[in-house]
Amino acid sequence: MSFIEYGDTIKDGDTAIVFLGHESMFPVKVQHGSLTQTKYGVIRHSTDLIGKKYGSKVTCSKGGWVFILHPTPELWTMNLPHRTQILYSTDISIITMMLELKPGSIVCESGTGSGSLSHALIRTVAPTGHLYTVEFHQQRAEKAREEFREHGVEHLVTVTNQDVCKNGFGVSSVADAVFLDIPSPWEAIGHAKAALKVEGGRICSFSPCIEQVQRTCLAMEEHGFTEINTLEILLRMYNVRTISLQIPDLGKASGDNSSIGFDSSNPTNQGSLCPNPQQGTVQFKSGVPLREMVGHTGYLTFATKS
């Protein structure tokens, strides 16, 4: 199993995603002889998982069933153990596009955190690229190395435990892109410039506060970066629902025998509106925004090394 190469069969030692529903899923490490408890009953790894195909429908001990999915960076982002606050797919997608990443790219990242963005970056630059990720916290760095090894991507990533603001990324003039997610990114701009290739490299800084953005932009200008711009991604979800509205009484036109002005015998009207003469309402499908929306997560500041 690897997060960058699809495997057809579940094997001992794999990381799999147990899917109970769109709002309920979790990762499990497949081990011979182990059991996993769900609300639908027990999953026995030896008989229910190992040797089965990814995507299989597995019946639990209580008669309920779940799907076993192959892990992807997107699924891992939704299910990973949180050691820090993480970036989600909405921000990750714009980061990978604006940094112009592709297979073979060299990327520097700080900090590693819970590894949400790291897995997406690795998948994007594979199979010939490389990620150099720096984590200040020693235990988080060690846990990240362990996860990358378990997920079959350790050959594509180098994890370093050091302070990027003081010691940099450990590489010079090789990176196509640099990503910063640290409390004081302006202190690391000089090291980011040194890590980027001689000309044309891209940098992105993620900050939750506009004061951080202001200081980072000033530091980027001082170090000669161009095309500096900041954006914010807000995701608004819609539900498709059947809406009922009362038909307005507009009066009866001269010579019109219809009380509601709707000819159900006309084929062009069938299927578009569904009037109910008894109740005086009409039903139709509409997109309705959620009453609550996830607001501000952070600002993304991009720039180019000139």
Side-chain angles (χ1 to χ4, degrees):
M1 184 278 306
S2 172
F3 273 51
I4 60 172
E5 296 177 357
Y6 181 78
D8 188 55
T9 305
I10 304 172
K11 300 180 177 63
D12 188 14
D14 282 3
T15 298
I17 305 297
V18 180
F19 180 88
L20 293 83
H22 289 289
E23 303 297 329
S24 179
M25 63 184 88
F26 60 89
V28 62
K29 184 174 181 179
V30 180
Q31 293 179 314
H32 185 77
S34 295
L35 304 174
T36 296
Q37 182 68 48
T38 74
K39 63 181 180 180
Y40 300 127
V42 172
I43 300 174
R44 295 173 175 83
H45 293 200
S46 299
T47 57
D48 297 333
L49 299 184
I50 296 177
K52 298 290 183 65
K53 288 188 176 182
Y54 279 106
S56 296
K57 182 178 179 180
V58 173
T59 302
C60 305
S61 61
K62 292 182 180 180
W65 48 266
V66 299
F67 288 104
I68 308 299
L69 306 181
H70 192 283
T72 64
E74 291 79 12
L75 288 174
W76 185 245
T77 290
M78 298 171 63
N79 296 280
L80 57 79
H82 285 226
R83 300 183 289 272
T84 60
Q85 290 185 334
I86 68 171
L87 292 178
Y88 290 91
S89 297
T90 305
D91 287 317
I92 291 173
S93 60
I94 195 71
I95 290 170
T96 55
M97 184 189 74
M98 294 294 287
L99 290 182
E100 303 174 1
L101 301 182
K102 60 186 182 298
S105 296
I106 306 297
V107 187
C108 291
E109 175 198 26
S110 182
T112 312
S114 301
S116 172
L117 176 64
S118 303
H119 283 81
L121 294 177
I122 292 170
R123 196 261 308 272
T124 303
V125 304
T128 56
H130 200 84
L131 171 65
Y132 295 91
T133 182
V134 178
E135 173 56 51
F136 176 79
H137 193 277
Q138 182 178 359
Q139 292 180 335
R140 288 201 293 262
E142 292 174 353
K143 185 61 178 178
R145 289 193 192 97
E146 179 184 342
E147 287 179 349
F148 292 142
R149 183 170 57 254
E150 291 178 352
H151 298 164
V153 297
E154 72 277 7
H155 61 292
L156 295 171
V157 56
T158 300
V159 182
T160 306
N161 173 219
Q162 63 187 26
D163 185 352
V164 70
C165 296
K166 296 180 179 178
N167 307 113
F169 293 93
V171 295
S172 179
S173 302
V174 297
D176 297 289
V178 170
F179 176 80
L180 297 174
D181 184 5
I182 55 178
S184 52
W186 55 89
E187 296 181 0
I189 298 300
H191 294 295
K193 182 179 180 180
L196 286 168
K197 59 186 181 182
V198 176
E199 185 177 357
R202 294 278 287 167
I203 184 173
C204 174
S205 174
F206 176 91
S207 297
C209 302
I210 195 64
E211 292 82 5
Q212 293 171 303
V213 174
Q214 292 170 335
R215 296 189 64 176
T216 302
C217 289
L218 290 174
M220 288 178 175
E221 289 181 346
E222 292 174 359
H223 284 87
F225 283 90
T226 60
E227 300 178 343
I228 302 172
N229 64 86
T230 299
L231 54 87
E232 179 184 25
I233 308 298
L234 297 178
L235 179 65
R236 188 177 189 184
M237 303 293 293
Y238 279 77
N239 284 337
V240 178
R241 298 179 182 175
T242 300
I243 305 297
S244 297
L245 292 180
Q246 186 174 7
I247 298 174
D249 184 4
L250 302 178
K252 185 184 296 185
S254 176
D256 186 3
N257 296 324
S258 173
S259 60
I260 60 173
F262 187 92
D263 183 6
S264 60
S265 64
N266 188 345
T268 60
N269 290 331
Q270 294 179 1
S272 58
L273 296 176
C274 303
N276 188 331
Q278 285 82 15
Q279 298 181 357
T281 61
V282 62
Q283 293 184 338
F284 59 93
K285 297 292 185 180
S286 178
V288 180
L290 301 181
R291 294 186 177 181
E292 295 182 356
M293 185 184 80
V294 176
H296 172 75
T297 57
Y299 300 103
L300 293 169
T301 300
F302 296 92
T304 302
K305 181 179 179 180
S306 62

